[in-house]
Amino acid sequence: MPQPSRRQVLSLLPAGLLLAAAAPARAAAGLDHARLLDHARLLANTVAMLAGTPEVNARPEVAAKLAAVLTTARQRLAAMDRAGEGELFAGLALGTDDVNLRLAFQYLYEIALATRTPGGGLDGDAAAQRRVADGLRWLHERYYGDQSKGYYGNWHNWEIGIPTHVTRTLALLPEPSRADLTATYLATMDAYLRNGRNGDVDLDSRFHTGANLADITANRIVQGALTADDARVAKAIADQSTVFATIDPYALQHGNTDGYYRDGSFIQHHSVAYTGSYGRALLTRVVQTLKTLEGVTTEGAAGLPGVVHRWIADGFAPLIFEGWMMEIVKGRAVSRTTTGYTDVGVIVEAATDLAGLLPEQDALALKKYVKHLPAADTAAFVSPVSIARYAAIRADATIPAADLNPPERSVAFNAMDRTVHRRPGYAFALARSSERISKYEYMSGENLMPWFQGDGAHYLYLAGEDQREVFGVDYYTTVSPYRLAGVTAPVEERRTIPELYGGRLWYDNPGHPLNFTSSSESQNTYVYFPVAGNAFSGGATLGAYGVAGMVQSDDAAYTAKQAGLLPDDFVAYRDARATKSWFLLDDEIVVLAADVSGQAGRAAVTTVDSRIAAPSDAVTLSGETWAGSPWRQGGAGAPRWLRYANATRGTAVGYAFLSRQPVAAGLETVTRSRRVVRTSNPDTPVTKNVFTATVTHPATGELPAFAYALVPHATEARLRGYARGPLAVLANTRHLQAVRHRDLGLLAANAFTAGPHHAGPLVLDGPASVLVRSGERTTVALSDPTMKRERVTVVLHGRSLRLDRADEGVTARRVPGGTLVEAVTRHAYGRTLTAVLR
């Protein structure tokens, strides 16, 4: 992904706006406002984006959206009619619940939207608009205007949620209706911007970053237009522009790590891999801002849509499989009932709109991708205009469907400790963690049992599946949190945060020196999203092949607890220990584990895989022992291979064990409520047929290592072939893990510790991830998974080779017995560096 710096991003903005942002008073005195900003156009764009236009709304594809807007507004008006004492809407108690207050403002917005929707049944309804304006006055007088009584609950509602609804409502109301409201509300919203500075954004605030910053500034742009305040608009645009700049971890701006990285990673909350939730929220907001600014200034920002296009191509597309957003980048949102396909619908709307802002070639590529993805549910789109544009793309026979991903792709999102490997027919996604990236995210009663989600949890997506039946919230509901596919967990029972702390959704101890409150930095560090303790987590790619590795370790909370930094009643759990590698090939993913221990006298269990199916699906397990006899569940013989097959869905996964190990496998019918993973989920029971295959590591230390291949779409014949196949394990210790695939001419290795490590003809000097492919040319790919080394070196024993071409910083020279390849990895942040030798 190209890396625009903040300076490059700012160079794309109109000079007049930058002047206004840098010196508001001077700019206001010396600039021709009519030339600089067209506030009326900005507001008209905003209204058109939200409510549509007469031409757009006349299209049949938009009719369902108009009907939904009208139905919702009438429901809200009816609720106003039934409101009791102290209520604006019936059943919505106000005064202590910030969510209810946010909903009250949302309901007013939904009524206002219907009164400005051309072709709708309430379009131009002055009485409804008066009720909205009166509702805004009523809320401000009783529940919002008093700063001493507000700002309870979640800060997000006060700085983002409520201002978003208020700002949009004011933009939708005719000027006479909002005349006395705008100044009042802007002053109050500024005062509630308590994580900012002087009622404005503070780029040094940990709250004003990434998607949150985009939300706040998008609101302030519209607020500035409402008051014809050039300086407010300009400052908000300049602040929002910082989210377009690629994060450089070696030159952080304002100490901020939230945003997009060179390798396509996206981080929010300082250390959470979050493309699929906050990342898509940021995408939506910046595209909406670009739409509202069309024609507003006399100068353009033509380069910014191109930056966003690269986010989609390099950041989002690898993570979307047949219209499903992968679990590994959703944080706590994995526990919600509407994720996956719904997540991608948001991206489709943004991509549809972005295509209208791009140069022709990029626009066509994006339109092809929109057409390639499964048809989106346009009822969830924000804008009627987007629905019409999307329908036009889908109906255009001259636009062929085409993925932004090549058919074969391996992506190392090392900046967020995630790996994606794609082949025709499947995709494999891996969640890692480190001292840089959180093990999981829990917050607000969401994702109640997250403990091992960053400990090498994997997800194997098979083509043609309805992924809601095999992943999503039902996967986390019915699969034990200790048996997530790929994880190694100690044998123990853990309790959720509400169970630990008397029903509270956080650890509350404001009197402690670390000041534990619901939104304190200590809560983030030790409760919501603790990082791990290991430096080694990363990998390398060579073309469409890859290697990833991780050392599993305790999290920051347990480490701090052992150091005596946390209160006595704070509960922290010790993790299991393991050294793991994943080798990403064509027909299989090879998994090695070594130095596995439950620690502290505990056994540990590694889950080879877990899969779920409907109870009525025809699921079978078959296998063969190392003695060649048929494997049977509960039998004495360890399996050489296993095959899970779902005849109803036409899918199969195989497991070829590359070392002799006792594997337990079976099927179990499990029924649980979706509320076990999220307190606000409906209490809906889910029943699934759950398959698990596990390896138990006794507390006495036996079985510290094992190896297997995960084989998508495996047949029994193919699994038998691994006994004499081209795949070989060269090393599997805590120091070195390596495999060779003879037919591919590929050797891949992770070295985890200092000193020389030998893998076939390779000698690795210290921690590194390496792939070597031999043929007419020899290609070497290297990376530093610790992100701390100055350089990585590898010696290839054998005939001497010469450098043909290489990435910057990679050199090769002859040494006795072979060729030494050296890559300068300082400031590479885990990036793969490649050399081609001949």
Side-chain angles (χ1 to χ4, degrees), residues 225-384:
L226 286 166
T227 54
D229 186 343
D230 278 345
R232 189 183 188 100
V233 175
K235 170 70 161 51
I237 292 174
D239 287 341
Q240 188 175 118
S241 74
T242 64
V243 306
F244 291 91
T246 301
I247 299 294
D248 179 354
Y250 303 104
L252 294 176
Q253 301 295 311
H254 306 282
N256 173 45
T257 60
D258 292 353
Y260 286 94
Y261 287 69
R262 177 173 177 167
D263 66 1
S265 297
F266 176 83
I267 289 173
Q268 186 77 31
H269 292 163
H270 186 68
S271 59
V272 179
Y274 235 149
T275 314
S277 186
Y278 276 90
R280 64 185 175 85
L282 174 60
L283 173 69
T284 295
R285 269 304 210 171
V286 297
V287 171
Q288 288 174 349
T289 297
L290 291 171
K291 288 166 61 179
T292 60
L293 293 177
E294 280 189 274
V296 171
T297 70
T298 55
E299 304 171 65
L304 297 182
V307 174
V308 182
H309 176 237
R310 291 190 290 275
W311 293 353
I312 295 176
D314 296 339
F316 285 96
L319 293 161
I320 298 172
F321 183 70
E322 296 187 339
W324 180 268
M325 175 59 70
M326 296 176 180
E327 271 66 23
I328 60 173
V329 288
K330 296 178 187 174
R332 68 187 189 271
V334 294
S335 63
R336 297 172 187 168
T337 57
T338 54
T339 63
Y341 296 120
T342 304
D343 295 330
V344 174
V346 174
I347 296 162
V348 168
E349 179 174 9
T352 297
D353 292 328
L354 184 64
L357 303 172
L358 289 168
E360 184 176 351
Q361 186 173 351
D362 288 343
L364 180 59
L366 209 50
K367 289 176 181 178
K368 290 178 178 179
Y369 184 57
V370 164
K371 202 166 185 179
H372 161 80
L373 294 170
D377 177 11
T378 56
F381 280 22
V382 171
S383 176

Side-chain angles (χ1 to χ4, degrees), residues 575-589:
D575 204 352
R577 183 184 71 222
T579 299
K580 293 187 177 182
S581 291
W582 296 263
F583 302 94
L584 313 167
L585 308 176
D586 285 326
D587 299 326
E588 63 274 303
I589 295 95

Side-chain angles (χ1 to χ4, degrees), residues 624-627 629-632 634-640 661-663:
E624 191 172 276
T625 69
W626 286 81
S629 59
W631 172 88
R632 288 182 175 82
R640 186 162 198 159
Q661 56 224 11
V663 179

Side-chain angles (χ1 to χ4, degrees), residues 571-805:
V571 178
Y573 292 106
R574 189 175 191 181
D575 204 352
R577 183 184 71 222
T579 299
K580 293 187 177 182
S581 291
W582 296 263
F583 302 94
L584 313 167
L585 308 176
D586 285 326
D587 299 326
E588 63 274 303
I589 295 95
V590 180
V591 184
L592 305 189
D595 194 34
V596 179
S597 170
Q599 304 197 101
R602 303 171 301 178
V605 176
T606 296
T607 302
V608 173
D609 202 11
S610 287
R611 302 192 72 81
I612 63 173
S616 59
D617 284 2
V619 175
T620 57
L621 297 181
S622 59
E624 191 172 276
T625 69
W626 286 81
S629 59
W631 172 88
R632 288 182 175 82
Q633 184 176 342
R640 186 162 198 159
W641 58 264
L642 291 172
R643 182 174 182 265
Y644 168 91
N646 187 329
T648 304
R649 309 193 72 82
T651 57
V653 181
Y655 312 93
F657 300 102
L658 306 176
S659 57
R660 194 184 297 261
Q661 56 224 11
V663 179
L667 296 164
E668 178 186 10
T669 300
V670 176
T671 300
R672 291 196 185 98
S673 168
R674 286 174 174 163
R675 195 167 286 172
V676 301
V677 296
R678 183 172 179 253
T679 57
S680 58
N681 276 350
D683 190 15
T684 304
V686 175
T687 299
K688 290 290 184 180
N689 199 359
V690 179
F691 160 72
T692 54
T694 60
V695 176
T696 297
H697 310 273
T700 50
E702 295 93 344
L703 197 63
F706 66 94
Y708 70 96
L710 186 67
V711 188
H713 307 295
T715 63
E716 292 188 358
R718 190 158 133 212
L719 290 167
R720 289 190 185 97
Y722 278 89
R724 56 189 182 280
L727 192 61
V729 176
L730 302 182
N732 188 15
T733 71
R734 73 180 184 88
H735 303 289
L736 177 69
Q737 293 174 331
V739 302
R740 187 205 306 270
H741 195 291
R742 184 185 62 239
D743 292 353
L744 295 176
L746 189 70
L747 193 157
N750 281 317
F752 296 92
T753 57
H757 304 284
H758 297 263
L762 288 186
V763 180
L764 293 79
D765 183 16
S769 294
V770 180
L771 298 104
V772 178
R773 193 170 193 192
S774 301
E776 186 177 334
R777 296 282 193 274
T778 297
T779 305
V780 181
L782 315 91
S783 76
D784 168 24
T786 71
M787 303 192 186
K788 294 180 175 181
R789 303 191 67 192
E790 293 289 318
R791 54 184 49 81
V792 168
T793 60
V794 176
V795 174
L796 284 73
H797 284 299
R799 61 193 177 92
S800 184
L801 301 171
R802 290 182 296 164
L803 188 65
D804 185 41
R805 59 185 183 276

Side-chain angles (χ1 to χ4, degrees), residues 121-146:
L122 288 175
D123 183 21
D125 190 315
Q129 290 170 345
R130 283 193 297 273
R131 295 190 74 177
V132 171
D134 289 343
L136 287 175
R137 293 186 188 94
W138 189 89
L139 286 174
H140 194 275
E141 290 169 3
R142 289 166 175 78
Y143 296 109
Y144 186 65
D146 189 341

